[in-house]
Amino acid sequence: MFRTLLLIAIGGGIGSVFRYLTTIIVQKYYSSIFPLATLVTNIIGSFLIGIAISLLEKNDLVNSNVKWFFITGFCGGYTTFSAFGLENVNLLQNNQSGIAFFYIGLSIIAGLFAVWLGLTIAK
């Protein structure tokens, strides 16, 4: 149990750092009210989780330490749906409902597509 928690914590820490770096890189090249950094993070995270799950299943490693480290830890620390929720509430509270609904729809559609693409590529 302790080993599993440690793997999740280390993976989550690394994922959080990569999330921060993604934000820095996106904001360096793009500045707007639209929360592109979170969208990019969620799409990349969805893609990575699709590839990882497919590879773990293919190699019969679904119940391995790799899963705890990468899926629960890294991807959990990297993806940002809590930030996604907060950003949408802020957009709605600032009378930016069009941007909020566009962001919600694009995140869901592109995220699902990215998981499918990751699964397909890894097979």
Side-chain angles (χ1 to χ4, degrees), residues 49-64 66 117-123:
I49 209 166
I51 287 177
I53 286 293
S54 184
L55 292 174
L56 289 172
E57 287 175 354
K58 187 187 304 185
N59 294 299
D60 199 29
L61 296 171
V62 174
N63 295 316
S64 71
V66 175
L117 184 63
L119 288 167
T120 301
I121 288 173
K123 287 180 183 178

Side-chain angles (χ1 to χ4, degrees), residues 57-123:
E57 287 175 354
K58 187 187 304 185
N59 294 299
D60 199 29
L61 296 171
V62 174
N63 295 316
S64 71
N65 289 330
V66 175
K67 176 189 174 192
W68 299 119
F69 174 79
F70 191 76
I71 303 294
T72 306
F74 180 85
C75 289
Y78 183 69
T79 57
T80 54
F81 274 93
S82 58
F84 169 79
L86 177 61
E87 289 168 346
N88 278 296
V89 167
N90 288 336
L91 286 169
L92 292 168
Q93 289 175 340
N94 290 314
N95 296 318
Q96 299 289 328
S97 59
I99 292 173
F101 290 122
F102 173 75
Y103 181 39
I104 291 165
L106 185 59
S107 294
I108 292 168
I109 291 167
L112 291 172
F113 176 76
V115 170
W116 172 83
L117 184 63
L119 288 167
T120 301
I121 288 173
K123 287 180 183 178

